[in-house]
Amino acid sequence: VYGTDPKRVICSGLSMGGWGVNGYGITEECKGLYRAYCIIAAGPRAIGLFKPEVTKGLPVMILNGANDANLRVANSGKPLLERAGAVVTQEIIPGQGHVPST
């Protein structure tokens, strides 16, 4: 409708939006809708209708600052997506806090 290529749509969010990727984007209802996911300043976590198997074969980026309080959750949640078959890349930006400035 808007000239968007449906093969290039990703679900991404920063901070609370990153948690929203889990609860609203990685769900059975959204299976096949997104071609990739990006969780910034949050982490993969079983909240809402989260179904990690929806990410099977898809790229997922997890991005946090090294001083982000959510990094612990990101680190512990990463295996949920890996076990589900996602192609997970995690980037941790040295010296950055909750919302990376670089």
Side-chain angles (χ1 to χ4, degrees), residues 31-99:
K31 186 174 185 176
L33 185 60
Y34 302 112
R35 300 300 176 247
Y37 297 89
C38 184
I39 301 170
I40 306 169
R45 188 167 86 181
I47 58 174
L49 301 172
F50 181 74
K51 298 287 184 204
E53 57 274 10
V54 168
T55 64
K56 183 177 183 177
L58 296 175
V60 179
M61 166 68 80
I62 304 168
L63 177 68
N64 298 85
N67 302 324
D68 184 354
N70 290 329
L71 179 58
R72 180 185 58 77
V73 177
N75 290 337
S76 66
K78 180 182 172 193
L80 292 172
L81 297 174
E82 291 173 327
R83 282 193 300 271
V87 181
V88 180
T89 300
Q90 183 177 28
E91 293 292 332
I92 301 169
I93 304 172
Q96 295 297 305
H98 175 61
V99 179

